[in-house]
Amino acid sequence: PFLPPSFQKTTKCREQMIVYTRTLARHYFASVFSFAFLFRVLVILGNILFAFFIAYGTKNLWVKEAFYYERPEVHFKHQLYAVLTGSTPGSEIAFGTSPTFNEAMPSAKV
C-alpha cells in the first residue's frame, strides 16, 4: 500500500495499511469592508448581470409561447400512378403516365 513519505520515514514496519484519511480544508476569512469581499460580491453580481444581458440580447427572456410555421414546397410533375386491387390475387389493374411504370406493371393499360 502507498504511504506518504513522512510516514514511511518514521515507521520501521512497512506492512501497515492506511485505515482512514481526511482532506485538509482551509478557510479564509475577511471583513465585510475588505477588497476580497468587495471583489467576490462584484463577481457574483457580474455573473448574474452577464446572464441577464445574454438572455435579453437574444430575445429569449420570458418566452411564453412561440410559433414557427413551415410551408412545404410542392411541385406538380403531371404524373399519375394508380393500382387497383381486386378480391382475388393477381387481379390488379395498374395505370400510369410514366412509360417505365407501365413497363414494370404488365397489367398497365394506357
Side-chain angles (χ1 to χ4, degrees):
F2 175 74
L3 297 174
S6 61
F7 188 74
Q8 289 176 0
K9 291 178 186 175
T10 58
T11 60
K12 294 179 182 177
C13 179
R14 291 188 177 206
E15 296 297 323
Q16 296 180 356
M17 296 178 61
I18 298 175
V19 179
Y20 174 74
T21 59
R22 171 173 83 177
T23 58
L24 176 65
R26 292 183 180 167
H27 298 280
Y28 297 97
F29 297 96
S31 69
V32 178
F33 302 107
S34 67
F35 179 74
F37 182 79
L38 178 66
F39 180 74
R40 182 174 181 176
V41 169
L42 289 177
V43 166
I44 291 171
L45 288 176
N47 286 335
I48 292 170
L49 290 175
F50 180 71
F52 177 76
F53 286 127
I54 291 294
Y56 186 76
T58 59
K59 306 288 188 227
N60 289 329
L61 189 65
W62 294 302
V63 175
K64 293 192 178 183
E65 56 183 47
F67 295 100
Y68 177 72
Y69 296 106
E70 184 174 319
R71 175 177 257 170
E73 188 173 321
V74 178
H75 299 284
F76 187 63
K77 295 183 177 183
H78 301 285
Q79 294 178 351
L80 172 71
Y81 302 105
V83 178
L84 303 173
T85 57
S87 60
T88 60
S91 63
E92 295 89 9
I93 299 173
F95 173 75
T97 58
S98 171
T100 56
F101 177 76
N102 290 332
E103 291 172 6
M105 300 295 286
S107 62
K109 297 179 182 173
V110 180

